[in-house]
Each structure stands twice: as C-alpha cells, then as structure tokens.
Amino acid sequence: MSTTINNEFSHDEEMEARIWAYIDGLSEEKSFIEQLIRENAVWRAKYNELVELNQLLHATELEQPSMRFTKNVMEEISKIQIAPATKEYINKYIIRGIAAFFITVIVGFLIYGFSQVNWSAGNASKHAGIDFTQVDYSRMFNNTFVNLFMMANIILGLMLLDRYLSSKKKQWQ
Amino acid sequence: MYTTPSDTDIIQQVLKGGQQAYATLVERYQNYVFTIVLRYVKSREDAEEVAQDVFIKAYRSLADFKGTAKFSTWLYTITTTTCITFLRKKKLEVHSLDNEKVFVVADNIDGGMSANQVEQKSKVNMVNEAIKLLSPEDAQVITLFYKGEQTLEEIAQTLGKEVNAVKVQLHRARTRLKDKMQKHFSAEVRDLN
C-alpha cells in the first residue's frame, strides 16, 4: 500500500516538475507536454491548477518600507565614504613579481636538478632511465645560490606583511 | 524625451561624487530589498533597519560593483548575507531548506491566525499570507523569481548555488506553497470558487 502511495506521489511530483518547467518556459519537451495537456485530463487539470498559482504569484505585490526609508538611507550615507575597490588594495606589480620569482625558482631547481643527473649511469629500465640515487641533494640545498633565494623570499614575505599591516592600520583609523 | 537612467549610469554618477544620485537606486530597489528582508526577519521595524543596512553596505562597496552581473543580483546577494548576519547576531533560528521543523515553526507563527483574520479574502492575499508561512529560503527563491525579475542563473549567483539546485528549490518551494494554501486557506478558496 505504502509503495503504491510513494509511487503515485513520485509520479505526481514528476508531472508537476515537468509542467512547471513548461510554464516557466524552460521545458525541453514543449510539444510533448502540450500534447499531454490536450489529450490527458489529469495533466490538463494539474496544468490549470499550476497556471492559476503561477498567475497569482505574478500578481502578488511587494512590501513597502516606511515613507522615510530613502531619506534615512541618504542621511546615513552622507556620513560615510565609498571604500576604494578591493582590487586597488593589491598592487599588480607585486603579484607579478612574486609569480615571476617562484617560476624562476622552480625552473632553476629543475635545470639544476637535471644537470646533476648522470644519464648514462645505472640501469635504464629502472624509473624510466633515471637513477635517483645518483642525484646529490645535499649540493642542491647547501650553496650560496639557495641561500640567496631564501633571503629574497624572506624579504618579499616581510614586504607583504608590511603592506598587510599598514592596510589594516588604515582601516582602523 | 526623458529616458530613465540605467543602474550603471547612476552608479557611475555616484562614483564620480554625485552622492544624491544614489537616492534613485534606493527608490528603485527599496521594495524588492524590503520584501526579501521580510522573508527572513518577521518584524517590520527590524526589516526596515536591515534593509537600510543593505543599502548602506551597497553604497560603501559600490566601487567593487564590476557590472558583470545586474546591479539587482549584486544587491540581492548583499541582502541575503546581511539578513543571515542579522539573524546570527540575534541568535534566531535560521531554518534549513529541507528541515521539516520549519513547517512546525511556521505553523506556530501562524498559530493565532484564524480564517477571519485574513485581511482580504482574495486569492492574491492568500498567496501572500502563504508565502509568509514558508521557510525564509523558500520564500526568498519565490520572491526573487517572481518579483525580483531574476532568472534562475541570476538567482543561483545570488544564493551561491548551482542552477539545477535552484530549479529544484523553486519547484519544492512552489509545492510547499501549494500545500500551505490547501492547509490554511482551503475554506477561503472554496468560498471564492
């Protein structure tokens, strides 16, 4: 019994959903729905019911605030200023600089890493021809080159922190 | 011949320093915003305060309006977030879409309203009353679709949802509205027929 009710309900729901899509002009089976409404009494009755509700919904009126509403808003905004656009907070050159820096670092590491590989050593069948045991990682992370990059990174980080804190300070003022 | 300035023209004017032009935007959208706020906030005084806050926030962030979407869509997004923030501050219960308790709460709100208290026995008023009994989410999606001149895509943008999710939400909201009308106003509907 409950299965029958559930089936009937889901069928009814599906029918309503298809009719609503047709009423909203969003149906992809327009002519088929039109045919069903024309030929099937159940579909026609449901369509009439939903069309009436749709018309009532279109006929509903909006609520109105008090007469002083606009005046109140204008009085309030006269005390404040429009905030600058969010995008203006961020300097494009800084973003591009950081992006360029990281791309350079990644490319640098890749070039350096690959240059350290002894391509002729080891068994070619292992790890697609690369013997990772041959890579000297200690040399990659222990030289002036890496230290310089680290320093530059720290300086850029401090610059960003400084910008962030000064913008926060401006907001508080 | 006088043509009504577009929202974008007014915004440009305001951004150039013509603060008074903003009054036109407020006049244009105050009823839409106030109606949506009333879907969340039941008291008219609170709703008026929240609606004012929406326009003040919109003014403050006007420079951020990129014009990629309609101004109304952008404004309704601010309206929704402002309402949710207000409810959180007030620690009121925010009803979820599929929570059946919504109907219990809504029915309780309606507890004191008998058929005689329905102000005007017209079907439109009944629909309006029935909308008030819906959850804020259901009422909002119906208001945006029928009164806010928003497409499903724009509503999806406003609510931060997928278009299909909004389609389903709208369908469910209308079904619940129909149920509410049958439950609370069936006698009036019979009288009118």
Side-chain angles (χ1 to χ4, degrees):
Chain A
M1 178 72 184
S2 68
T3 319
T4 320
I5 290 167
N6 282 340
N7 283 343
E8 279 173 8
F9 179 74
S10 60
H11 176 259
D12 207 41
E13 274 264 286
E14 193 206 324
M15 179 172 65
E16 275 197 22
R18 287 166 78 185
I19 296 174
W20 273 126
Y22 172 73
I23 293 170
D24 294 338
L26 304 166
S27 179
E28 288 167 4
E29 43 176 11
K30 204 179 154 199
S31 52
F32 181 61
I33 300 288
E34 277 169 359
Q35 192 189 337
L36 279 167
I37 293 166
R38 240 187 350 258
E39 293 169 4
N40 189 316
V42 179
W43 276 73
R44 195 162 47 247
K46 183 58 79 180
Y47 171 74
N48 289 335
E49 183 192 335
L50 298 185
V51 155
E52 192 193 12
L53 179 61
N54 194 55
Q55 284 166 350
L56 289 171
L57 280 165
H58 277 294
T60 52
E61 284 172 8
L62 292 166
E63 302 279 349
Q64 286 182 348
S66 68
M67 300 288 278
R68 265 194 62 86
F69 186 83
T70 306
K71 210 172 175 188
N72 288 344
V73 173
M74 294 311 286
E75 273 172 17
E76 283 299 316
I77 66 162
S78 66
K79 299 170 199 163
I80 56 169
Q81 282 188 331
I82 298 173
T86 317
K87 62 181 179 184
E88 285 171 20
Y89 292 140
I90 307 154
N91 191 328
K92 277 180 190 169
Y93 292 110
I94 291 186
I95 300 296
R96 282 176 193 160
I98 293 168
F101 170 74
F102 280 109
I103 289 164
T104 314
V105 170
I106 292 163
V107 171
F109 271 119
L110 282 172
I111 293 167
Y112 184 74
F114 280 115
S115 69
Q116 297 301 304
V117 179
N118 183 357
W119 299 99
S120 58
N123 188 346
S125 64
K126 275 192 214 170
H127 302 102
I130 302 165
D131 187 355
F132 290 103
T133 55
Q134 296 294 311
V135 182
D136 187 1
Y137 294 104
S138 61
R139 280 180 66 191
M140 286 167 74
F141 294 102
N142 270 323
N143 58 31
T144 330
F145 186 70
V146 173
N147 286 340
L148 274 171
F149 272 120
M150 291 295 282
M151 281 294 287
N153 230 342
I154 291 164
I155 290 164
L156 278 170
L158 286 170
M159 278 167 67
L160 277 172
L161 183 70
D162 177 56
R163 282 184 66 85
Y164 173 74
L165 290 174
S166 49
S167 69
K168 278 273 169 195
K169 197 179 164 188
K170 271 180 200 167
Q171 278 178 9
W172 281 104
Q173 280 171 350
Chain B
M1 196 176 77
Y2 177 77
T3 50
T4 318
S6 71
D7 291 349
T8 319
D9 292 341
I10 297 169
I11 291 163
Q12 289 307 316
Q13 211 177 321
V14 177
L15 289 174
K16 281 176 190 163
Q19 196 182 55
Q20 280 308 310
Y22 192 67
T24 314
L25 281 179
V26 179
E27 291 279 356
R28 199 172 280 178
Y29 291 104
Q30 60 177 352
N31 291 355
Y32 294 110
V33 169
F34 186 62
T35 306
I36 293 168
V37 174
L38 265 178
R39 303 297 183 221
Y40 283 89
V41 183
K42 299 296 170 191
S43 130
R44 288 187 79 88
E45 290 85 47
D46 283 344
E48 189 138 339
E49 193 187 306
V50 174
Q52 272 182 36
D53 200 22
V54 168
F55 282 105
I56 293 164
K57 276 184 187 171
Y59 176 78
R60 203 175 268 157
S61 323
L62 211 57
D64 274 331
F65 175 67
K66 294 176 190 78
T68 47
K70 282 200 295 195
F71 174 72
S72 57
T73 309
W74 183 72
L75 190 65
Y76 297 150
T77 311
I78 297 175
T79 309
T80 309
T81 49
T82 310
C83 287
I84 292 167
T85 311
F86 175 82
L87 290 176
R88 272 192 199 140
K89 270 186 194 163
K90 283 238 166 186
K91 292 184 180 173
L92 291 177
E93 191 183 352
V94 180
H95 312 298
S96 67
L97 176 68
D98 292 318
N99 189 353
E100 281 305 310
K101 280 178 189 169
V102 162
F103 301 108
V104 178
V105 174
D107 290 345
N108 288 341
I109 292 165
D110 185 43
M113 194 176 77
S114 68
N116 295 333
Q117 285 171 305
V118 178
E119 287 179 19
Q120 292 171 39
K121 283 189 174 184
S122 75
K123 285 184 180 180
V124 172
N125 277 336
M126 276 177 233
V127 174
N128 266 331
E129 291 300 321
I131 290 173
K132 287 176 190 168
L133 301 177
L134 293 172
S135 69
E137 290 86 357
D138 283 353
Q140 189 193 22
V141 78
I142 284 178
T143 308
L144 287 172
F145 188 72
Y146 284 97
K147 308 311 303 172
E149 294 157 355
Q150 300 276 291
T151 62
L152 287 178
E153 285 78 14
E154 286 162 349
I155 297 172
Q157 206 179 331
T158 301
L159 304 178
K161 290 180 177 175
E162 291 292 323
V163 177
N164 269 338
V166 172
K167 209 172 169 181
V168 172
Q169 191 181 345
L170 179 66
H171 170 63
R172 285 182 182 169
R174 288 190 286 210
T175 306
R176 283 173 190 149
L177 180 73
K178 210 154 53 73
D179 292 345
K180 287 280 165 202
M181 287 183 71
Q182 276 161 6
K183 188 178 173 187
H184 294 272
F185 307 107
S186 52
E188 285 78 9
V189 172
R190 270 199 306 273
D191 286 349
L192 284 166
N193 287 331

